[in-house]
PDB file of all heavy atoms in Angstrom:
ATOM      1  N   ILE A1446      -6.575 -13.486  -3.675  1.00 97.00           N
ATOM      2  CA  ILE A1446      -7.561 -12.410  -4.036  1.00 97.00           C
ATOM      3  C   ILE A1446      -9.026 -12.995  -3.923  1.00 97.00           C
ATOM      4  O   ILE A1446      -9.148 -14.159  -4.267  1.00 97.00           O
ATOM      5  CB  ILE A1446      -7.251 -11.935  -5.570  1.00 97.00           C
ATOM      6  CG1 ILE A1446      -5.858 -11.404  -5.644  1.00 97.00           C
ATOM      7  CG2 ILE A1446      -8.338 -10.960  -5.992  1.00 97.00           C
ATOM      8  CD1 ILE A1446      -5.462 -10.927  -7.063  1.00 97.00           C
ATOM      9  N   LYS A1447      -9.825 -12.203  -3.376  1.00 96.00           N
ATOM     10  CA  LYS A1447     -11.202 -12.634  -3.167  1.00 96.00           C
ATOM     11  C   LYS A1447     -12.012 -12.548  -4.414  1.00 96.00           C
ATOM     12  O   LYS A1447     -11.981 -11.496  -5.150  1.00 96.00           O
ATOM     13  CB  LYS A1447     -11.978 -11.683  -2.209  1.00 96.00           C
ATOM     14  CG  LYS A1447     -11.431 -11.575  -0.807  1.00 96.00           C
ATOM     15  CD  LYS A1447     -12.321 -10.717   0.012  1.00 96.00           C
ATOM     16  CE  LYS A1447     -12.389  -9.270  -0.559  1.00 96.00           C
ATOM     17  NZ  LYS A1447     -12.046  -8.240   0.369  1.00 96.00           N
ATOM     18  N   THR A1449     -14.818 -11.548  -5.350  1.00 94.00           N
ATOM     19  CA  THR A1449     -16.053 -10.757  -4.908  1.00 94.00           C
ATOM     20  C   THR A1449     -16.630 -10.019  -6.164  1.00 94.00           C
ATOM     21  O   THR A1449     -17.685  -9.396  -6.000  1.00 94.00           O
ATOM     22  CB  THR A1449     -15.768  -9.844  -3.791  1.00 94.00           C
ATOM     23  OG1 THR A1449     -14.437  -9.214  -4.028  1.00 94.00           O
ATOM     24  CG2 THR A1449     -15.730 -10.528  -2.486  1.00 94.00           C
ATOM     25  N   GLY A1455      -6.578  -1.653  -9.911  1.00 96.00           N
ATOM     26  CA  GLY A1455      -6.012  -1.592  -8.570  1.00 96.00           C
ATOM     27  C   GLY A1455      -5.542  -2.993  -8.072  1.00 96.00           C
ATOM     28  O   GLY A1455      -4.405  -3.076  -7.605  1.00 96.00           O
ATOM     29  N   ASN A1456      -6.273  -3.948  -8.250  1.00 95.00           N
ATOM     30  CA  ASN A1456      -5.939  -5.349  -7.955  1.00 95.00           C
ATOM     31  C   ASN A1456      -4.627  -5.739  -8.729  1.00 95.00           C
ATOM     32  O   ASN A1456      -3.724  -6.417  -8.200  1.00 95.00           O
ATOM     33  CB  ASN A1456      -7.001  -6.396  -8.245  1.00 95.00           C
ATOM     34  CG  ASN A1456      -8.368  -6.119  -7.534  1.00 95.00           C
ATOM     35  OD1 ASN A1456      -9.350  -6.154  -8.067  1.00 95.00           O
ATOM     36  ND2 ASN A1456      -8.227  -5.927  -6.206  1.00 95.00           N
ATOM     37  N   GLY A1459      -1.553  -3.340  -7.530  1.00 93.00           N
ATOM     38  CA  GLY A1459      -1.199  -3.594  -6.124  1.00 93.00           C
ATOM     39  C   GLY A1459      -0.775  -5.004  -5.790  1.00 93.00           C
ATOM     40  O   GLY A1459      -0.081  -5.204  -4.765  1.00 93.00           O
ATOM     41  N   ALA A1460      -1.293  -5.962  -6.518  1.00 93.00           N
ATOM     42  CA  ALA A1460      -1.058  -7.305  -6.126  1.00 93.00           C
ATOM     43  C   ALA A1460      -0.694  -8.270  -7.364  1.00 93.00           C
ATOM     44  O   ALA A1460       0.505  -8.568  -7.483  1.00 93.00           O
ATOM     45  CB  ALA A1460      -2.291  -7.859  -5.443  1.00 93.00           C
ATOM     46  N   LYS A1549     -16.554  -1.685   5.619  1.00 90.00           N
ATOM     47  CA  LYS A1549     -17.626  -2.469   5.008  1.00 90.00           C
ATOM     48  C   LYS A1549     -18.872  -2.541   5.794  1.00 90.00           C
ATOM     49  O   LYS A1549     -19.962  -2.630   5.299  1.00 90.00           O
ATOM     50  CB  LYS A1549     -17.107  -3.970   4.754  1.00 90.00           C
ATOM     51  CG  LYS A1549     -15.923  -4.049   3.878  1.00 90.00           C
ATOM     52  CD  LYS A1549     -16.063  -5.088   2.778  1.00 90.00           C
ATOM     53  CE  LYS A1549     -14.825  -5.182   2.047  1.00 90.00           C
ATOM     54  NZ  LYS A1549     -14.840  -4.561   0.724  1.00 90.00           N
ATOM     55  N   VAL A1583       0.737  -7.827  -0.841  1.00 95.00           N
ATOM     56  CA  VAL A1583      -0.579  -7.263  -0.835  1.00 95.00           C
ATOM     57  C   VAL A1583      -0.551  -5.757  -1.057  1.00 95.00           C
ATOM     58  O   VAL A1583       0.524  -5.169  -0.950  1.00 95.00           O
ATOM     59  CB  VAL A1583      -1.284  -7.483   0.568  1.00 95.00           C
ATOM     60  CG1 VAL A1583      -1.735  -8.936   0.715  1.00 95.00           C
ATOM     61  CG2 VAL A1583      -0.386  -7.099   1.729  1.00 95.00           C
ATOM     62  N   GLY A1584      -1.711  -5.230  -1.352  1.00 92.00           N
ATOM     63  CA  GLY A1584      -1.846  -3.791  -1.428  1.00 92.00           C
ATOM     64  C   GLY A1584      -1.856  -3.258  -0.002  1.00 92.00           C
ATOM     65  O   GLY A1584      -2.019  -3.947   0.954  1.00 92.00           O
ATOM     66  N   ASP A1586      -4.068  -1.750   1.832  1.00 94.00           N
ATOM     67  CA  ASP A1586      -5.237  -1.869   2.654  1.00 94.00           C
ATOM     68  C   ASP A1586      -5.239  -3.177   3.467  1.00 94.00           C
ATOM     69  O   ASP A1586      -5.908  -3.296   4.420  1.00 94.00           O
ATOM     70  CB  ASP A1586      -6.477  -1.908   1.754  1.00 94.00           C
ATOM     71  CG  ASP A1586      -6.519  -2.994   0.650  1.00 94.00           C
ATOM     72  OD1 ASP A1586      -5.462  -3.186   0.049  1.00 94.00           O
ATOM     73  OD2 ASP A1586      -7.502  -3.673   0.562  1.00 94.00           O
ATOM     74  N   GLN A1587      -4.331  -4.173   3.050  1.00 96.00           N
ATOM     75  CA  GLN A1587      -4.329  -5.390   3.750  1.00 96.00           C
ATOM     76  C   GLN A1587      -3.195  -5.513   4.835  1.00 96.00           C
ATOM     77  O   GLN A1587      -3.102  -6.527   5.534  1.00 96.00           O
ATOM     78  CB  GLN A1587      -4.072  -6.539   2.768  1.00 96.00           C
ATOM     79  CG  GLN A1587      -5.330  -6.743   1.805  1.00 96.00           C
ATOM     80  CD  GLN A1587      -6.589  -7.084   2.645  1.00 96.00           C
ATOM     81  OE1 GLN A1587      -6.608  -7.880   3.542  1.00 96.00           O
ATOM     82  NE2 GLN A1587      -7.665  -6.325   2.259  1.00 96.00           N
ATOM     83  N   GLY A1620       2.205   2.144  -6.369  1.00 94.00           N
ATOM     84  CA  GLY A1620       0.892   1.626  -6.678  1.00 94.00           C
ATOM     85  C   GLY A1620       0.278   0.734  -5.550  1.00 94.00           C
ATOM     86  O   GLY A1620      -0.628  -0.046  -5.873  1.00 94.00           O
ATOM     87  N   LYS A1621       0.706   1.015  -4.383  1.00 94.00           N
ATOM     88  CA  LYS A1621       0.146   0.094  -3.268  1.00 94.00           C
ATOM     89  C   LYS A1621      -1.327   0.565  -2.898  1.00 94.00           C
ATOM     90  O   LYS A1621      -2.073  -0.206  -2.301  1.00 94.00           O
ATOM     91  CB  LYS A1621       1.004   0.284  -2.035  1.00 94.00           C
ATOM     92  CG  LYS A1621       1.104   1.741  -1.518  1.00 94.00           C
ATOM     93  CD  LYS A1621       2.021   1.854  -0.391  1.00 94.00           C
ATOM     94  CE  LYS A1621       2.069   3.291   0.119  1.00 94.00           C
ATOM     95  NZ  LYS A1621       3.235   3.797   0.646  1.00 94.00           N
ATOM     96  N   ARG A1622      -1.837   1.706  -3.472  1.00 95.00           N
ATOM     97  CA  ARG A1622      -3.115   2.172  -3.261  1.00 95.00           C
ATOM     98  C   ARG A1622      -3.576   2.963  -4.521  1.00 95.00           C
ATOM     99  O   ARG A1622      -3.427   4.157  -4.517  1.00 95.00           O
ATOM    100  CB  ARG A1622      -3.217   2.921  -1.996  1.00 95.00           C
ATOM    101  CG  ARG A1622      -4.679   3.275  -1.505  1.00 95.00           C
ATOM    102  CD  ARG A1622      -4.592   3.905  -0.151  1.00 95.00           C
ATOM    103  NE  ARG A1622      -5.818   4.375   0.248  1.00 95.00           N
ATOM    104  CZ  ARG A1622      -6.867   3.615   0.773  1.00 95.00           C
ATOM    105  NH1 ARG A1622      -6.536   2.348   1.072  1.00 95.00           N
ATOM    106  NH2 ARG A1622      -7.903   4.143   1.142  1.00 95.00           N
ATOM    107  N   ILE A1623      -4.192   2.280  -5.493  1.00 97.00           N
ATOM    108  CA  ILE A1623      -4.660   2.882  -6.697  1.00 97.00           C
ATOM    109  C   ILE A1623      -6.164   3.562  -6.331  1.00 97.00           C
ATOM    110  O   ILE A1623      -6.860   2.845  -5.684  1.00 97.00           O
ATOM    111  CB  ILE A1623      -4.726   1.977  -7.871  1.00 97.00           C
ATOM    112  CG1 ILE A1623      -3.328   1.460  -8.215  1.00 97.00           C
ATOM    113  CG2 ILE A1623      -5.403   2.666  -9.117  1.00 97.00           C
ATOM    114  CD1 ILE A1623      -2.331   2.449  -8.618  1.00 97.00           C
ATOM    115  N   LYS A1632     -10.339   4.525  -2.552  1.00 93.00           N
ATOM    116  CA  LYS A1632      -9.641   3.392  -3.095  1.00 93.00           C
ATOM    117  C   LYS A1632     -10.427   2.829  -4.355  1.00 93.00           C
ATOM    118  O   LYS A1632     -11.595   2.663  -4.261  1.00 93.00           O
ATOM    119  CB  LYS A1632      -9.459   2.362  -2.082  1.00 93.00           C
ATOM    120  CG  LYS A1632      -8.533   1.161  -2.457  1.00 93.00           C
ATOM    121  CD  LYS A1632      -8.563   0.124  -1.464  1.00 93.00           C
ATOM    122  CE  LYS A1632      -9.553  -0.982  -1.738  1.00 93.00           C
ATOM    123  NZ  LYS A1632      -9.351  -2.315  -1.336  1.00 93.00           N
ATOM    124  N   MET A1633      -9.719   2.541  -5.416  1.00 95.00           N
ATOM    125  CA  MET A1633     -10.309   1.736  -6.517  1.00 95.00           C
ATOM    126  C   MET A1633     -10.625   0.330  -5.971  1.00 95.00           C
ATOM    127  O   MET A1633      -9.757  -0.317  -5.485  1.00 95.00           O
ATOM    128  CB  MET A1633      -9.439   1.674  -7.661  1.00 95.00           C
ATOM    129  CG  MET A1633     -10.130   1.013  -8.851  1.00 95.00           C
ATOM    130  SD  MET A1633      -9.134   0.846 -10.380  1.00 95.00           S
ATOM    131  CE  MET A1633      -8.997   2.476 -10.998  1.00 95.00           C
ATOM    132  N   SER A1634     -11.901   0.001  -6.010  1.00 89.00           N
ATOM    133  CA  SER A1634     -12.263  -1.325  -5.295  1.00 89.00           C
ATOM    134  C   SER A1634     -13.337  -2.048  -6.090  1.00 89.00           C
ATOM    135  O   SER A1634     -14.321  -1.408  -6.562  1.00 89.00           O
ATOM    136  CB  SER A1634     -12.731  -0.898  -3.871  1.00 89.00           C
ATOM    137  OG  SER A1634     -13.538  -1.881  -3.383  1.00 89.00           O
ATOM    138  N   LYS A1635     -13.208  -3.367  -6.141  1.00 86.00           N
ATOM    139  CA  LYS A1635     -14.157  -4.120  -7.013  1.00 86.00           C
ATOM    140  C   LYS A1635     -15.604  -4.102  -6.450  1.00 86.00           C
ATOM    141  O   LYS A1635     -16.531  -4.321  -7.145  1.00 86.00           O
ATOM    142  CB  LYS A1635     -13.637  -5.482  -7.413  1.00 86.00           C
ATOM    143  CG  LYS A1635     -13.405  -6.352  -6.264  1.00 86.00           C
ATOM    144  CD  LYS A1635     -12.888  -7.732  -6.881  1.00 86.00           C
ATOM    145  CE  LYS A1635     -11.717  -8.316  -6.144  1.00 86.00           C
ATOM    146  NZ  LYS A1635     -11.849  -8.714  -4.765  1.00 86.00           N
ATOM    147  N   SER A1636     -15.752  -3.898  -5.077  1.00 78.00           N
ATOM    148  CA  SER A1636     -17.070  -3.869  -4.534  1.00 78.00           C
ATOM    149  C   SER A1636     -17.725  -2.496  -4.553  1.00 78.00           C
ATOM    150  O   SER A1636     -18.829  -2.336  -4.178  1.00 78.00           O
ATOM    151  CB  SER A1636     -17.042  -4.416  -3.200  1.00 78.00           C
ATOM    152  OG  SER A1636     -16.235  -3.580  -2.380  1.00 78.00           O
TER     153      SER A1636
HETATM  154  P1  ATP B3148     -13.347  -5.655  -2.327  1.00 56.89           P
HETATM  155  O1  ATP B3148     -13.802  -4.481  -2.914  1.00 56.89           O
HETATM  156  O2  ATP B3148     -14.244  -6.862  -2.555  1.00 56.89           O
HETATM  157  O3  ATP B3148     -13.030  -5.513  -0.831  1.00 56.89           O
HETATM  158  P2  ATP B3148     -10.743  -5.365  -3.428  1.00 56.89           P
HETATM  159  O4  ATP B3148     -10.993  -4.737  -4.788  1.00 56.89           O
HETATM  160  O5  ATP B3148     -10.321  -4.389  -2.396  1.00 56.89           O
HETATM  161  O6  ATP B3148     -12.133  -6.123  -2.919  1.00 56.89           O
HETATM  162  P3  ATP B3148      -9.328  -7.625  -2.748  1.00 56.89           P
HETATM  163  O7  ATP B3148      -9.760  -8.931  -3.222  1.00 56.89           O
HETATM  164  O8  ATP B3148      -9.593  -7.268  -1.324  1.00 56.89           O
HETATM  165  O9  ATP B3148      -9.812  -6.495  -3.671  1.00 56.89           O
HETATM  166  O10 ATP B3148      -7.707  -7.451  -3.031  1.00 56.89           O
HETATM  167  C1  ATP B3148      -6.989  -8.274  -3.753  1.00 56.89           C
HETATM  168  C2  ATP B3148      -5.567  -7.627  -3.652  1.00 56.89           C
HETATM  169  O11 ATP B3148      -5.515  -6.342  -4.465  1.00 56.89           O
HETATM  170  C3  ATP B3148      -5.075  -7.226  -2.291  1.00 56.89           C
HETATM  171  O12 ATP B3148      -3.707  -7.499  -2.120  1.00 56.89           O
HETATM  172  C4  ATP B3148      -5.410  -5.818  -2.167  1.00 56.89           C
HETATM  173  O13 ATP B3148      -4.579  -5.156  -1.218  1.00 56.89           O
HETATM  174  C5  ATP B3148      -5.086  -5.288  -3.550  1.00 56.89           C
HETATM  175  N1  ATP B3148      -5.813  -4.110  -3.883  1.00 56.89           N
HETATM  176  C6  ATP B3148      -7.123  -3.960  -3.963  1.00 56.89           C
HETATM  177  N2  ATP B3148      -7.472  -2.766  -4.307  1.00 56.89           N
HETATM  178  C7  ATP B3148      -6.278  -2.032  -4.532  1.00 56.89           C
HETATM  179  C8  ATP B3148      -6.037  -0.755  -5.001  1.00 56.89           C
HETATM  180  N3  ATP B3148      -6.979   0.113  -5.233  1.00 56.89           N
HETATM  181  N4  ATP B3148      -4.692  -0.420  -5.041  1.00 56.89           N
HETATM  182  C9  ATP B3148      -3.747  -1.276  -4.853  1.00 56.89           C
HETATM  183  N5  ATP B3148      -3.929  -2.577  -4.391  1.00 56.89           N
HETATM  184  C10 ATP B3148      -5.224  -2.904  -4.296  1.00 56.89           C
END
Side-chain angles (χ1 to χ4, degrees):
I1446 298 181
K1447 299 184 293 238
T1449 40
N1456 298 133
K1549 301 229 183 255
V1583 282
D1586 60 312
Q1587 293 302 314
K1621 60 186 181 212
R1622 191 173 171 83
I1623 299 297
K1632 189 187 91 150
M1633 185 183 284
S1634 158
K1635 57 178 138 64
S1636 61

